[in-house]
Amino acid sequence: MMRKEAFAKKSLGQNFLIDRTVIRRIHEAVDPEPADLVFEIGPGRGALTDGLVASGAKIIAIELDRELVPLLREQFAESSNFSVIEANALTVDFHELIEKTSPGKTAKLAANLPYYISTAILQRLIEQRECFSQMVLMFQREVVDRIAAKPGDSERGFLSVLCEAFLRVEKLFDVPPEAFKPRPKIWSSVVRLVPIESEVQDAEAFRRIVSASFSQRRKTILNNLRPVVPNAAAVLEHAGIDPSRRAETISKDEWLRLLGAIPGR
Ligand code: SAM
């Protein structure tokens, strides 16, 4: 045990779950059924994987640490419903993986994510959201609070708007540092993300406009939009948005109106 802990790689965000109650609550949230396909990102030493495999669902784990991959293969050698891919989850094409392994299926996703990739992975998962019926993810608490922030909340930012446009966000519970080994300095939270039918027509334009609007948080929406939207003042007026407002106060409906008011959209 001492030996194993000494090998936790800080650079890969390795804080392994040891709290049985937290593990059980994550399993309950994922709710794997025998007919399900479940992806797990970053299985580590299998703390979550064990219960997922025991459910009988088809589990495909994606682990970047090449030293952990053979250990996982050994640990689950008897389980024909388990496989692990050595890969970076940030570059995995989930559409392709599903086509190869379970054509036509929508998958569930479970992950206790390394903190350093949380924003990047979230953007990737949003891009590939059609692949998933739901995602149960653990992030640092601050990231979950940002994702779940409503218009006017100080934590509201680019990620909150992006998530609100494409997902139903349900914060499930907080997890203290003692639930992990080695212990992180910060609290974590578990969140359920369910892809929704989005009203956004052009996801790339939406991402660009929202990102530009938050580029300098202390500036008004008009000043942030000016460099990227011709006649920004007229566009905001047309969308019924006061140009002196800040991006964090804008609601989902207003973002949609703003996109619709930009000529050529
Ligand atoms: N799921 C395990 C648990 O709960 O104990 C491990 C969680 S640990 C916070 C994060 C895991 O993600 C580590 O096993 C780490 O090697 C892996 N990881 C880090 N970056 C990754 C990436 N880009 N793609 C896939 N796995 C990654």
Side-chain angles (χ1 to χ4, degrees):
M1 199 63 210
M2 284 293 289
R3 206 175 117 78
K4 268 188 163 182
E5 199 187 336
F7 281 100
K9 293 186 183 117
K10 229 177 161 177
S11 62
L12 289 181
Q14 292 181 348
N15 298 96
F16 299 107
L17 261 175
I18 52 166
D19 185 316
R20 299 253 123 236
T21 307
V22 172
I23 293 171
R24 179 181 49 76
R25 292 183 76 185
I26 295 177
H27 285 151
E28 283 170 6
V30 178
D31 192 23
E33 305 268 348
D36 285 341
L37 167 65
V38 181
F39 288 108
E40 186 190 1
I41 300 178
R45 294 184 188 138
L48 290 173
T49 324
D50 217 12
L52 297 175
V53 170
S55 73
K58 181 172 184 162
I59 311 299
I60 303 181
I62 298 155
E63 175 56 63
L64 182 60
D65 185 342
R66 61 161 56 160
E67 288 174 29
L68 288 178
V69 170
L71 298 180
L72 286 158
R73 287 206 176 107
E74 201 182 303
Q75 188 177 347
F76 297 105
E78 307 287 305
S79 308
S80 58
N81 57 329
F82 172 82
S83 58
V84 56
I85 301 169
E86 185 190 320
N88 183 341
L90 289 174
T91 55
V92 162
D93 183 336
F94 286 98
H95 285 107
E96 200 180 292
L97 261 183
I98 292 177
E99 267 327 291
K100 270 195 204 148
T101 58
S102 316
K105 256 211 174 321
T106 324
K108 290 179 175 172
L109 183 97
N112 166 17
L113 288 165
Y115 302 139
Y116 76 101
I117 59 165
S118 43
T119 305
I121 196 82
L122 199 50
Q123 291 195 61
R124 269 299 277 178
L125 293 175
I126 289 175
E127 275 164 30
Q128 300 183 73
R129 65 193 174 280
E130 295 90 11
C131 295
F132 306 106
S133 57
Q134 68 151 0
M135 315 176 213
V136 174
L137 306 169
M138 174 135 65
F139 290 110
Q140 68 190 88
R141 186 165 61 182
E142 183 192 310
V143 172
V144 172
D145 289 345
R146 251 195 290 145
I147 293 172
K150 301 277 174 245
D153 291 351
S154 59
E155 298 97 341
R156 179 111 164 152
F158 169 66
L159 268 189
S160 339
V161 177
L162 206 63
C163 286
E164 192 184 31
F166 298 109
L167 306 164
R168 192 179 79 231
V169 177
E170 247 176 89
K171 179 172 171 175
L172 298 179
F173 55 93
D174 291 329
V175 181
E178 308 82 78
F180 304 90
K181 216 169 186 174
R183 273 187 201 190
K185 290 201 178 67
I186 44 175
W187 279 64
S188 304
S189 299
V190 177
V191 66
R192 191 201 319 272
L193 303 176
V194 181
I196 56 171
E197 196 75 52
S198 178
E199 292 148 88
V200 175
Q201 309 282 330
D202 182 342
E204 183 41 37
F206 186 81
R207 209 192 57 76
R208 227 170 343 99
I209 295 300
V210 175
S211 168
S213 303
F214 280 101
S215 58
Q216 297 204 46
R217 291 189 69 93
R218 291 165 60 165
K219 281 193 175 179
T220 63
I221 181 131
L222 173 61
N223 284 339
N224 275 327
L225 280 182
R226 261 196 183 120
V228 287
V229 175
N231 301 318
V235 167
L236 284 164
E237 194 191 334
H238 188 59
I241 298 170
D242 179 340
S244 68
R245 285 171 62 187
R246 296 214 156 79
E248 67 265 26
T249 69
I250 311 280
S251 69
K252 177 173 156 180
D253 286 348
E254 289 172 324
W255 284 113
L256 290 170
R257 285 213 307 270
L258 173 57
L259 253 286
I262 298 174
R265 303 257 155 256

